[in-house]
Amino acid sequence: MRTLIRRLRRSPAALALALTCALVTPVAQAQAVPDQQAAPFDVLVFSKTAGFRHDAIPAGISALQTLGEQNDFTVTATEDAAAFTTANLSGYEAVVFLNTTGDVLNAAQQTAFETYVDSGGGYFGVHAAADTEYDWPYYGRLVGAYFQSHPAIQQATVKSEDRSHPATAHLSATWTRTDELYNYRTNPRPDVRVLQTLDETTYTGGLMGADHPITWCHSQGAGRSFYTGLGHTIESYSDPAFRSLLLGAVRYTAGQVAADCSAAPSNAPVEAESYTSGSGVQAAGHAPASGGQTLGHIDNGDWAGYASVPTAGASSFTAKVSSAGAGGTIEIRSGSATGTLLGSVTVPVTGGWETFTTVSTTLTGTATGPLFLRFTGGSGALFDIDTFTLGTEPPASTDLSPDVHLFYYPWYGSPAVNGSWRHWQQGGRTPPEDIGADFYPALGAYDSGDYAGAVAQHMKWVAQSGAGVIVYSWWGQGSYENQLAQGVLDAAQKEGVKVAWHLEPYSGRTAASTVADIQYINSTYGSHPAFYRSAEHGDKGAYYVFQSLRITDWTALDQVTGTSIVLAQTTDTTKIAHFSGLYTYDGIAGATAPGWKQAGDYARANNLIWAPSVAPGYLDDRAVPGNTTPTVERADGAAYDRQWSNALDPAIGGSPTWVSVTSFNEWHEGSSIEPADSTPPAGQGYQTYDGAYGLTGEAAQTAYLDRTAYWVDRFQTVLRD
C-alpha cells in the first residue's frame, strides 16, 4: 500500500512515496540500492568534537555521501556549530550527529535545534553521539541514553529485536559485529522503541545485563530520533549491512520512510541463564537450547533475578522449558524473590533435559520492580528454563482453531519495500496494475516485508477466518522467505495466530538438509510465542514437506520426529515411512477427494496426523499462460463448500486430524481466500469474488474468510463429538 509523506519545509511538489521497509536482502548481500521513487531531500552531517575524536569520522562522512548519491539525497558535512540556526536548519530534512563528543553547541544553537526537531525535523545519532552534551537535558531525551563506558573493541552478537524498521529490515535475527560496544548510564527502553540489543554472553565488558539496547528510535515532538551505538570503527562504514542500517535511519529521520517508533516493551525472548542474581541456580550446557545453555540445577526454593527486565505493565509470561526431573512451578514475582506474585505456571516432565516444551500464563497484579522467578516443586532436580518472554499482551487467544491451517505465502515484493517487484510479475506481467493472478488483492500488489501494513492486515484477516495457524512457505536458510519470518511471527503474535512451516523443494534439498532445516527453524524461531506447537501431540512444531515424493529415502527424519511433526505430501501410505503423517495440498483434488478415506483411516490406525487440503478454486491463466492444469471454478462458493464437506464426511474424508486450506494468499493459482478487490484495475480481465455466497461488491471481498469461519466451527464441532 502506498502513502504520501510531505517533505519538511518543501513545496507540495516534493511529495514522496513512503517506504515502509528498506532493502530486505540477506546480510551477506546487503547493499544500498537506489530507489527511484523517493523524492530528493537534504541531510546535514555534524561531526564536531570537544573530547575524544574518532578516526572513523571521514569514513562515515564518505559513506553517507555515497548513500546520498545512490539514493537521491544531498549530504552537507560540517563541524561548524554556527550552522545551527533556525533559518539554516530549515533547509534540511535530517541532521546526523556523527561521532560527536562533548559540549558542541552553545545555548542559542541548542534552542534552534530544539525548535527544529520539535517542529518536525529529524535527528540521527551515531555511536559517540551519546557521548555528547551531558549538560543539556533536552539532548539527553533526544539521544535516549548517555554513554557510560566501553570495553575493548571485540566481536559480539547483535540481536535485531525489531526488524519492522527500515534500518533493520535487511538483517537476520542475529548479526555478528566487531565494534566498540557502549554501556549506557540508563536503559532507554521505557521511552524508546528498541530495535537492537547486545548479547552480553558473547563478549566481555558488558554491564547492562540481559537487556542491553544498542539501537533505538522514538518520536520527539513532531520530529523523529534514531540512535545506534554501532559505528566506532573505520571498517564499519564499508560494511554493506551497516550502510543499509545508516540508509534506513537517514530515510526514517528525514521523514521519507514510515516506521513505528512508539515506545513498547520488548517481546524478545530473554536467555534464562542471563540472570543477575540468584540462589541455587546455575547455567547448564544443552546443545539444542538457545545459545547452547539453560538456567539449570533448579531445586525447590531456588530463584533467579533479572535486574534489566522490568515487570511494569507485564500481562503474560511464556517460557521454553525441559524436565527429566520432577517438574514443578515457576512463580513470576516483581521486585524480589518474595515480592509481589504476578502469576505462576506449571512445568511438566518432558522426558529429557534436551526435550523442550513451551508453557505460558496470564499475569495479574501491580508490578513496578525488576523480574524475579522463584521455583517450587518436589525433591531433587525440577526443570531447566531455556528462554522466557515477558509480554504486555495476554497470551494468544484460544478462540482460534489450532486444527485449521492456512497455507501462507511471503513471496511478494515491491519497489517501495524490497527495492524491486517480486513474484507479482510472474507470467511476464508488469506490476502494479498488471500482475500474474486472475484476481487482484484488495491490498494491491503488496510487499511481504510490509509488517506494519499488509502483514498486520493479513493476520487480522486470518483471525477473522477462525483459523489459528498459518503454514509459512519457507525456501531454505538463506532465502527471502527466511529473512521475513521474524516479522511475520511478530505480526501473527499480535492477533493470536500461530505459525507452522511449509518446507518447499529448493534446489539441492535432501532428507539430510530437511533435517538440518527443521533443527534450524526450531532453534531460531522455536521460542517465539507465535511458533505453533500442537498441544495434543506433545507440544511439537509442525512441518509440511511439499513434493516429498521427490525423495525416496526419508530415514534421516528419525532424528527430528521425536520433537517435531513432519508431514508428507501424498495419500499413498506406502510413501510415508519416517513421517508423522500426511497432507494433500492439491487444491483441485479436494473436489473428488481421491484416496482421502484410505489415507485418513490408515493415519488414525497408526497414530499419525491426517491433514487433507481444501481450496475455494484453482485458476492460473494469467500467471502461467498456456498452462493445461485444469481450472476449478469457484461457482460462487459451491466449490469450497464441496471440498470442506468431503473433508468432514467420514465416509469420504477419513476423519481429519487437521484441515489445511490451499490457500490464504497464493494469488498465482487463484486459490486465495485473502480478500480480492471488488473493483480491480480496469482492462486487465481480473475476476472478483462477486456472487460468492450471495454477496456482491465490497461485501463479497471477505466472503471466503467468513465462510472459512463457518467451516472452522463445523470442524470443531465434529472434533468435539
Side-chain angles (χ1 to χ4, degrees):
M1 296 195 302
R2 295 175 290 178
T3 304
L4 290 175
I5 291 183
R6 186 176 298 277
R7 298 179 67 236
L8 301 174
R9 299 165 301 283
R10 291 294 188 270
S11 67
L15 291 175
L17 288 175
L19 312 179
T20 44
C21 293
L23 304 176
V24 186
T25 53
V27 170
Q29 301 174 1
Q31 55 185 323
V33 178
D35 191 325
Q36 300 304 317
Q37 295 192 25
F41 59 98
D42 303 299
V43 176
L44 179 66
V45 177
F46 184 55
S47 55
K48 180 179 178 180
T49 56
F52 180 84
R53 184 168 183 83
H54 285 73
D55 59 6
I57 288 175
I61 293 172
S62 177
L64 288 165
Q65 288 173 334
T66 299
L67 290 171
E69 292 168 359
Q70 295 174 338
N71 295 276
D72 204 16
F73 63 88
T74 63
V75 171
T76 302
T78 186
E79 298 200 356
D80 185 359
F84 284 74
T85 66
T86 300
N88 188 57
L89 291 175
S90 68
Y92 299 98
E93 275 69 32
V95 178
V96 180
F97 275 49
L98 177 64
N99 277 320
T100 53
T101 55
D103 188 357
V104 292
L105 299 179
N106 65 28
Q109 293 159 355
Q110 290 173 356
T111 299
F113 191 53
E114 289 182 21
T115 301
Y116 163 78
V117 175
D118 286 347
S119 64
Y123 162 85
F124 175 18
V126 179
H127 191 58
D131 189 24
T132 302
E133 294 289 354
Y134 290 98
D135 297 323
W136 181 16
Y138 177 90
Y139 185 83
R141 295 191 298 273
L142 183 65
V143 70
Y146 283 120
F147 164 82
Q148 180 185 38
S149 64
H150 65 78
I153 296 172
Q154 60 193 291
Q155 188 178 92
T157 296
V158 179
K159 295 188 289 187
S160 294
E161 179 177 309
D162 184 336
R163 290 187 289 165
S164 65
H165 196 285
T168 53
H170 63 290
L171 296 170
S172 299
T174 58
W175 182 23
T176 301
R177 291 277 305 155
T178 297
D179 215 323
E180 184 180 73
L181 308 169
Y182 277 5
N183 299 303
Y184 300 95
R185 296 184 181 184
T186 58
N187 188 318
R189 185 178 293 278
D191 302 311
V192 303
R193 173 64 62 95
V194 174
L195 305 177
Q196 295 180 302
T197 58
L198 294 177
D199 183 349
E200 290 193 353
T201 67
T202 64
Y203 72 101
T204 59
L207 302 178
M208 297 181 70
D211 185 24
H212 187 151
I214 195 66
T215 303
W216 57 80
C217 62
H218 66 100
S219 59
Q220 179 72 37
R224 297 154 304 283
S225 171
F226 187 103
Y227 171 81
T228 182
L230 306 174
H232 172 88
T233 66
I234 294 173
E235 294 77 11
S236 293
Y237 296 93
S238 60
D239 177 357
F242 186 65
R243 283 195 174 200
S244 290
L245 186 150
L246 294 176
L247 178 59
V250 167
R251 283 175 163 168
Y252 161 70
T253 52
Q256 306 300 302
V257 180
D260 181 3
C261 284
S262 57
S266 170
N267 287 323
V270 176
E271 296 289 344
E273 68 273 12
S274 64
Y275 60 94
T276 54
S277 60
S279 174
V281 296
Q282 300 177 39
H286 293 292
S290 173
Q293 289 187 313
T294 63
L295 179 70
H297 303 278
I298 296 173
D299 295 324
N300 183 47
D302 290 348
W303 58 269
Y306 301 85
S308 298
V309 181
T311 57
S315 58
S316 66
F317 175 83
T318 301
K320 182 180 176 184
V321 298
S322 66
S323 177
T329 300
I330 303 171
E331 296 179 352
I332 300 93
R333 294 181 177 271
S334 177
S336 72
T338 57
T340 302
L341 179 65
L342 305 178
S344 62
V345 63
T346 299
V347 177
V349 176
T350 64
W353 295 113
E354 298 186 351
T355 301
F356 293 94
T357 190
T358 301
V359 296
S360 62
T361 189
T362 299
L363 304 182
T364 59
T366 301
T368 57
L371 175 69
F372 282 78
L373 303 179
R374 184 174 180 272
F375 314 115
T376 62
S379 60
L382 301 183
F383 48 81
D384 280 10
I385 306 177
D386 181 10
T387 59
F388 65 82
T389 302
L390 207 61
T392 57
E393 298 177 359
S397 170
T398 58
D399 294 337
L400 305 181
S401 171
D403 304 311
V404 178
H405 302 180
L406 311 182
F407 290 105
Y408 181 83
Y409 297 87
W411 294 351
Y412 307 105
S414 67
V417 179
N418 180 57
S420 62
W421 292 110
R422 180 181 174 86
H423 225 57
W424 294 117
Q425 68 272 34
Q426 183 170 319
R429 302 297 173 176
T430 54
E433 293 192 347
D434 178 21
I435 64 171
D438 286 82
F439 298 87
Y440 194 80
L443 296 179
Y446 56 76
D447 195 295
S448 295
D450 179 11
Y451 307 125
V455 179
Q457 181 59 67
H458 283 170
M459 298 309 141
K460 293 181 186 298
W461 280 333
V462 171
Q464 181 177 335
S465 80
V469 183
I470 60 171
V471 186
Y472 186 89
S473 175
W474 190 84
W475 285 85
Q477 296 184 32
S479 66
Y480 176 82
E481 294 77 17
N482 186 55
Q483 296 165 45
L484 304 186
Q486 180 73 33
V488 175
L489 281 158
D490 293 344
Q493 180 191 356
K494 293 178 181 178
E495 302 301 328
V497 174
K498 301 297 185 181
V499 180
W501 306 85
H502 205 185
L503 304 185
E504 305 280 11
Y506 57 79
S507 177
R509 187 183 73 175
T510 64
S513 73
T514 301
V515 168
D517 291 339
I518 292 171
Q519 292 170 335
Y520 167 83
I521 292 172
N522 283 338
S523 174
T524 305
Y525 306 115
S527 60
H528 196 286
F531 187 92
Y532 172 69
R533 296 181 183 278
S534 175
E536 297 176 349
H537 300 91
D539 278 337
K540 298 177 182 179
Y543 296 86
Y544 292 70
V545 181
F546 188 62
Q547 294 185 345
S548 58
L549 297 185
R550 287 187 178 183
I551 297 171
T552 57
D553 184 1
W554 285 100
T555 306
L557 288 181
D558 293 345
Q559 301 174 53
V560 293
T561 48
T563 56
S564 300
I565 297 166
V566 188
L567 304 185
Q569 188 214 347
T570 184
T571 56
D572 186 344
T573 56
T574 69
K575 306 290 187 181
I576 62 171
H578 309 288
F579 282 90
S580 313
L582 59 170
Y583 75 110
T584 59
Y585 184 79
D586 189 343
I588 299 174
T592 56
W596 282 20
K597 177 171 171 50
Q598 179 268 338
D601 290 348
Y602 181 90
R604 188 167 58 258
N606 291 276
N607 198 30
L608 299 174
I609 303 291
W610 166 231
S613 306
V614 300
Y618 186 95
L619 180 62
D620 63 359
D621 291 349
R622 287 176 59 84
V624 190
N627 190 20
T628 58
T629 301
T631 293
V632 175
E633 296 292 345
R634 291 181 177 241
D636 293 339
Y640 198 36
D641 283 358
R642 181 166 60 254
Q643 295 203 23
W644 267 104
S645 295
N646 286 342
L648 301 192
D649 184 342
I652 300 174
S655 301
T657 315
W658 304 329
V659 172
S660 50
V661 178
T662 309
S663 63
F664 177 78
N665 64 333
E666 220 293 26
W667 286 97
H668 306 309
E669 295 179 354
S671 64
S672 51
I673 64 171
E674 179 186 350
D677 198 335
S678 59
T679 56
Q684 302 293 340
Y686 293 114
Q687 298 189 28
T688 70
Y689 296 165
D690 207 55
Y693 305 105
L695 301 173
T696 59
E698 289 188 9
Q701 291 185 166
T702 61
Y704 290 98
L705 292 178
D706 296 334
R707 194 60 172 178
T708 302
Y710 165 82
W711 284 109
V712 168
D713 184 66
R714 291 277 301 272
F715 184 37
Q716 293 304 121
T717 300
V718 168
L719 292 176
R720 288 192 297 266
D721 291 345

